[in-house]
Amino acid sequence: MDILDRQLKQRKELVHQSLRLTPEEVSLLEQRTLASQTTSPSRSKRYVFRACAIIGVAAVAAILLWASPLTLLPPGTPSQLVSPPVTAPDPQQTPAPALPEAPKQTVAWQTEADKLALYRVFALGMTYDEAKALFPELGELQPLGGIESLGEDGLQEAFMPVALGDEQVQLTLSFEHGFLYAARYWVESKDEQKIMQEKARLEAFYAKDFGSPEEETIEAGTSSTWSPFFGLGLTKNWDGRYILIWGLQGGEPGFEELYRDRAFTVQEAIELALSEQPEFPAHPGETKQVRVEGIPETLATTSLRTKVKLQTRDSYLVTFERMWTIRYDGNRSITIPSYWTYQVTEGEVKLVDSYVVDQAVMEYLRGAASAQSS
């Protein structure tokens, strides 16, 4: 047996082992190989064919030998061949915990009922930026009544057109030093019958939530009030125009003093809720700046704020909000709130909602402060 015959036999045995061929299959493979040799017209050609057969069998064997370890892997773990080894992280190089995400703000404002229930959307003490984030179509801040001196004193307003049925009305948001203190719709018409019908429709709509309003005569018109926080006024102007205004009216001492003896006021609700969170401001138009102990101001500052919504005729939602402003990557910053919302009536203060990220933020800040000092 010459060298080529011995090599061919070894290759056949290798293929047999790799493929696990039966003796009959080995015999058939050998006969096909020999048949291809006998068809050659000369010894030199037979030599070429024999070499090609050896090369082909060797190639098949090599492929099968390379692929055979794959068949030994347990199912569902193909990544074991390509995944690099996992090394345990160095504790000294572990980054600070990730910051929690700020809660998403959503608002229902699709139907006419949604738009009329503006007391569920706007809160006394919210900022202009918050209102603008909810309603991008809100106009820019301008001096209250167009009077520059009032603007310099911090009294400003912004307008937004709103469709109520077939009517296009104007929503006015009033701010003092950047904080909301009133949100009202404004409709005017010289048609007395039309404006009176609209007044009756609104009173019937709000009566479903608040009951019948308290009505009294005021200068040049009437006032209907459901609480010191929410009311409606109808007046007649000197030029014959009827003006109908309704919505939130908190933050104006005149209204609170007028109805203090007959209804549960915004300020009284805040004072009761402060028994749970005494460090927060006592008025919705104020903020308190608080230093974060042990953390440089270049990394973070906090501020405390109080906001109020009307829930029912004599029930309020008082929210105490701690705003964390965290600075990173040089001049970039992010603001994340923690908040506690209490349902407040004359006889009860009850926590109904909260979102507290204080501990997670402090863990992040301690890690960032440590990295900054090293």
Side-chain angles (χ1 to χ4, degrees), residues 264 272 314 343-350:
F264 183 45
L272 287 175
D314 299 314
Q343 181 185 20
V344 184
T345 63
E346 288 187 88
E348 184 181 29
V349 177
K350 181 173 67 174

mmCIF file with all atom_site columns, all heavy atoms in Angstrom, residues 264 272 314 343-350:
data_model
loop_
_atom_site.group_PDB
_atom_site.id
_atom_site.type_symbol
_atom_site.label_atom_id
_atom_site.label_alt_id
_atom_site.label_comp_id
_atom_site.label_asym_id
_atom_site.label_entity_id
_atom_site.label_seq_id
_atom_site.pdbx_PDB_ins_code
_atom_site.Cartn_x
_atom_site.Cartn_y
_atom_site.Cartn_z
_atom_site.occupancy
_atom_site.B_iso_or_equiv
_atom_site.pdbx_formal_charge
_atom_site.auth_seq_id
_atom_site.auth_comp_id
_atom_site.auth_asym_id
_atom_site.auth_atom_id
_atom_site.pdbx_PDB_model_num
ATOM 1  N N   . PHE A 1 264 ? -64.849 76.849 53.813 1.00 0.00 ? 264 PHE A N   1
ATOM 2  C CA  . PHE A 1 264 ? -63.519 76.380 54.186 1.00 0.00 ? 264 PHE A CA  1
ATOM 3  C C   . PHE A 1 264 ? -62.523 76.894 53.152 1.00 0.00 ? 264 PHE A C   1
ATOM 4  O O   . PHE A 1 264 ? -62.581 76.536 51.980 1.00 0.00 ? 264 PHE A O   1
ATOM 5  C CB  . PHE A 1 264 ? -63.531 74.858 54.237 1.00 0.00 ? 264 PHE A CB  1
ATOM 6  C CG  . PHE A 1 264 ? -62.249 74.221 54.671 1.00 0.00 ? 264 PHE A CG  1
ATOM 7  C CD1 . PHE A 1 264 ? -61.536 74.699 55.760 1.00 0.00 ? 264 PHE A CD1 1
ATOM 8  C CD2 . PHE A 1 264 ? -61.756 73.116 53.993 1.00 0.00 ? 264 PHE A CD2 1
ATOM 9  C CE1 . PHE A 1 264 ? -60.363 74.100 56.168 1.00 0.00 ? 264 PHE A CE1 1
ATOM 10 C CE2 . PHE A 1 264 ? -60.587 72.508 54.385 1.00 0.00 ? 264 PHE A CE2 1
ATOM 11 C CZ  . PHE A 1 264 ? -59.888 72.997 55.482 1.00 0.00 ? 264 PHE A CZ  1
ATOM 12 N N   . LEU A 1 272 ? -53.867 73.394 58.079 1.00 0.00 ? 272 LEU A N   1
ATOM 13 C CA  . LEU A 1 272 ? -54.108 72.065 58.630 1.00 0.00 ? 272 LEU A CA  1
ATOM 14 C C   . LEU A 1 272 ? -53.100 71.049 58.097 1.00 0.00 ? 272 LEU A C   1
ATOM 15 O O   . LEU A 1 272 ? -52.578 70.204 58.836 1.00 0.00 ? 272 LEU A O   1
ATOM 16 C CB  . LEU A 1 272 ? -55.528 71.612 58.298 1.00 0.00 ? 272 LEU A CB  1
ATOM 17 C CG  . LEU A 1 272 ? -56.663 72.289 59.071 1.00 0.00 ? 272 LEU A CG  1
ATOM 18 C CD1 . LEU A 1 272 ? -58.029 71.814 58.548 1.00 0.00 ? 272 LEU A CD1 1
ATOM 19 C CD2 . LEU A 1 272 ? -56.553 71.981 60.562 1.00 0.00 ? 272 LEU A CD2 1
ATOM 20 N N   . ASP A 1 314 ? -65.829 71.661 49.737 1.00 0.00 ? 314 ASP A N   1
ATOM 21 C CA  . ASP A 1 314 ? -65.148 71.940 51.006 1.00 0.00 ? 314 ASP A CA  1
ATOM 22 C C   . ASP A 1 314 ? -63.967 71.001 51.226 1.00 0.00 ? 314 ASP A C   1
ATOM 23 O O   . ASP A 1 314 ? -63.648 70.650 52.365 1.00 0.00 ? 314 ASP A O   1
ATOM 24 C CB  . ASP A 1 314 ? -66.143 71.815 52.178 1.00 0.00 ? 314 ASP A CB  1
ATOM 25 C CG  . ASP A 1 314 ? -67.288 72.804 52.072 1.00 0.00 ? 314 ASP A CG  1
ATOM 26 O OD1 . ASP A 1 314 ? -67.014 73.984 51.794 1.00 0.00 ? 314 ASP A OD1 1
ATOM 27 O OD2 . ASP A 1 314 ? -68.452 72.388 52.247 1.00 0.00 ? 314 ASP A OD2 1
ATOM 28 N N   . GLN A 1 343 ? -55.330 65.068 51.196 1.00 0.00 ? 343 GLN A N   1
ATOM 29 C CA  . GLN A 1 343 ? -56.721 65.492 51.082 1.00 0.00 ? 343 GLN A CA  1
ATOM 30 C C   . GLN A 1 343 ? -57.107 66.144 52.407 1.00 0.00 ? 343 GLN A C   1
ATOM 31 O O   . GLN A 1 343 ? -56.983 65.528 53.473 1.00 0.00 ? 343 GLN A O   1
ATOM 32 C CB  . GLN A 1 343 ? -57.631 64.298 50.797 1.00 0.00 ? 343 GLN A CB  1
ATOM 33 C CG  . GLN A 1 343 ? -59.097 64.666 50.651 1.00 0.00 ? 343 GLN A CG  1
ATOM 34 C CD  . GLN A 1 343 ? -59.972 63.435 50.484 1.00 0.00 ? 343 GLN A CD  1
ATOM 35 O OE1 . GLN A 1 343 ? -59.575 62.329 50.841 1.00 0.00 ? 343 GLN A OE1 1
ATOM 36 N NE2 . GLN A 1 343 ? -61.155 63.637 49.948 1.00 0.00 ? 343 GLN A NE2 1
ATOM 37 N N   . VAL A 1 344 ? -57.553 67.389 52.320 1.00 0.00 ? 344 VAL A N   1
ATOM 38 C CA  . VAL A 1 344 ? -57.788 68.162 53.537 1.00 0.00 ? 344 VAL A CA  1
ATOM 39 C C   . VAL A 1 344 ? -59.236 68.645 53.575 1.00 0.00 ? 344 VAL A C   1
ATOM 40 O O   . VAL A 1 344 ? -59.718 69.289 52.632 1.00 0.00 ? 344 VAL A O   1
ATOM 41 C CB  . VAL A 1 344 ? -56.834 69.377 53.621 1.00 0.00 ? 344 VAL A CB  1
ATOM 42 C CG1 . VAL A 1 344 ? -57.027 70.111 54.946 1.00 0.00 ? 344 VAL A CG1 1
ATOM 43 C CG2 . VAL A 1 344 ? -55.380 68.922 53.467 1.00 0.00 ? 344 VAL A CG2 1
ATOM 44 N N   . THR A 1 345 ? -59.916 68.312 54.649 1.00 0.00 ? 345 THR A N   1
ATOM 45 C CA  . THR A 1 345 ? -61.224 68.881 54.969 1.00 0.00 ? 345 THR A CA  1
ATOM 46 C C   . THR A 1 345 ? -61.108 69.552 56.326 1.00 0.00 ? 345 THR A C   1
ATOM 47 O O   . THR A 1 345 ? -60.044 69.510 56.965 1.00 0.00 ? 345 THR A O   1
ATOM 48 C CB  . THR A 1 345 ? -62.309 67.789 55.006 1.00 0.00 ? 345 THR A CB  1
ATOM 49 O OG1 . THR A 1 345 ? -61.998 66.855 56.057 1.00 0.00 ? 345 THR A OG1 1
ATOM 50 C CG2 . THR A 1 345 ? -62.376 67.039 53.683 1.00 0.00 ? 345 THR A CG2 1
ATOM 51 N N   . GLU A 1 346 ? -62.184 70.156 56.777 1.00 0.00 ? 346 GLU A N   1
ATOM 52 C CA  . GLU A 1 346 ? -62.128 70.829 58.083 1.00 0.00 ? 346 GLU A CA  1
ATOM 53 C C   . GLU A 1 346 ? -61.825 69.863 59.218 1.00 0.00 ? 346 GLU A C   1
ATOM 54 O O   . GLU A 1 346 ? -61.264 70.263 60.235 1.00 0.00 ? 346 GLU A O   1
ATOM 55 C CB  . GLU A 1 346 ? -63.451 71.556 58.345 1.00 0.00 ? 346 GLU A CB  1
ATOM 56 C CG  . GLU A 1 346 ? -63.639 72.790 57.478 1.00 0.00 ? 346 GLU A CG  1
ATOM 57 C CD  . GLU A 1 346 ? -64.865 73.578 57.878 1.00 0.00 ? 346 GLU A CD  1
ATOM 58 O OE1 . GLU A 1 346 ? -64.753 74.449 58.776 1.00 0.00 ? 346 GLU A OE1 1
ATOM 59 O OE2 . GLU A 1 346 ? -65.929 73.319 57.293 1.00 0.00 ? 346 GLU A OE2 1
ATOM 60 N N   . GLY A 1 347 ? -62.175 68.585 59.035 1.00 0.00 ? 347 GLY A N   1
ATOM 61 C CA  . GLY A 1 347 ? -61.992 67.638 60.131 1.00 0.00 ? 347 GLY A CA  1
ATOM 62 C C   . GLY A 1 347 ? -60.930 66.587 59.911 1.00 0.00 ? 347 GLY A C   1
ATOM 63 O O   . GLY A 1 347 ? -60.703 65.750 60.793 1.00 0.00 ? 347 GLY A O   1
ATOM 64 N N   . GLU A 1 348 ? -60.235 66.594 58.758 1.00 0.00 ? 348 GLU A N   1
ATOM 65 C CA  . GLU A 1 348 ? -59.306 65.490 58.487 1.00 0.00 ? 348 GLU A CA  1
ATOM 66 C C   . GLU A 1 348 ? -58.207 65.908 57.521 1.00 0.00 ? 348 GLU A C   1
ATOM 67 O O   . GLU A 1 348 ? -58.439 66.675 56.583 1.00 0.00 ? 348 GLU A O   1
ATOM 68 C CB  . GLU A 1 348 ? -60.068 64.290 57.908 1.00 0.00 ? 348 GLU A CB  1
ATOM 69 C CG  . GLU A 1 348 ? -59.215 63.067 57.684 1.00 0.00 ? 348 GLU A CG  1
ATOM 70 C CD  . GLU A 1 348 ? -60.004 61.913 57.085 1.00 0.00 ? 348 GLU A CD  1
ATOM 71 O OE1 . GLU A 1 348 ? -60.983 62.176 56.361 1.00 0.00 ? 348 GLU A OE1 1
ATOM 72 O OE2 . GLU A 1 348 ? -59.634 60.744 57.325 1.00 0.00 ? 348 GLU A OE2 1
ATOM 73 N N   . VAL A 1 349 ? -57.002 65.373 57.768 1.00 0.00 ? 349 VAL A N   1
ATOM 74 C CA  . VAL A 1 349 ? -55.875 65.504 56.842 1.00 0.00 ? 349 VAL A CA  1
ATOM 75 C C   . VAL A 1 349 ? -55.395 64.092 56.530 1.00 0.00 ? 349 VAL A C   1
ATOM 76 O O   . VAL A 1 349 ? -54.967 63.359 57.423 1.00 0.00 ? 349 VAL A O   1
ATOM 77 C CB  . VAL A 1 349 ? -54.729 66.335 57.459 1.00 0.00 ? 349 VAL A CB  1
ATOM 78 C CG1 . VAL A 1 349 ? -53.543 66.393 56.497 1.00 0.00 ? 349 VAL A CG1 1
ATOM 79 C CG2 . VAL A 1 349 ? -55.198 67.728 57.816 1.00 0.00 ? 349 VAL A CG2 1
ATOM 80 N N   . LYS A 1 350 ? -55.462 63.685 55.244 1.00 0.00 ? 350 LYS A N   1
ATOM 81 C CA  . LYS A 1 350 ? -55.150 62.308 54.879 1.00 0.00 ? 350 LYS A CA  1
ATOM 82 C C   . LYS A 1 350 ? -54.210 62.284 53.682 1.00 0.00 ? 350 LYS A C   1
ATOM 83 O O   . LYS A 1 350 ? -54.477 62.919 52.660 1.00 0.00 ? 350 LYS A O   1
ATOM 84 C CB  . LYS A 1 350 ? -56.441 61.550 54.551 1.00 0.00 ? 350 LYS A CB  1
ATOM 85 C CG  . LYS A 1 350 ? -56.224 60.088 54.168 1.00 0.00 ? 350 LYS A CG  1
ATOM 86 C CD  . LYS A 1 350 ? -57.545 59.344 54.026 1.00 0.00 ? 350 LYS A CD  1
ATOM 87 C CE  . LYS A 1 350 ? -58.355 59.843 52.871 1.00 0.00 ? 350 LYS A CE  1
ATOM 88 N NZ  . LYS A 1 350 ? -59.581 59.032 52.632 1.00 0.00 ? 350 LYS A NZ  1
#
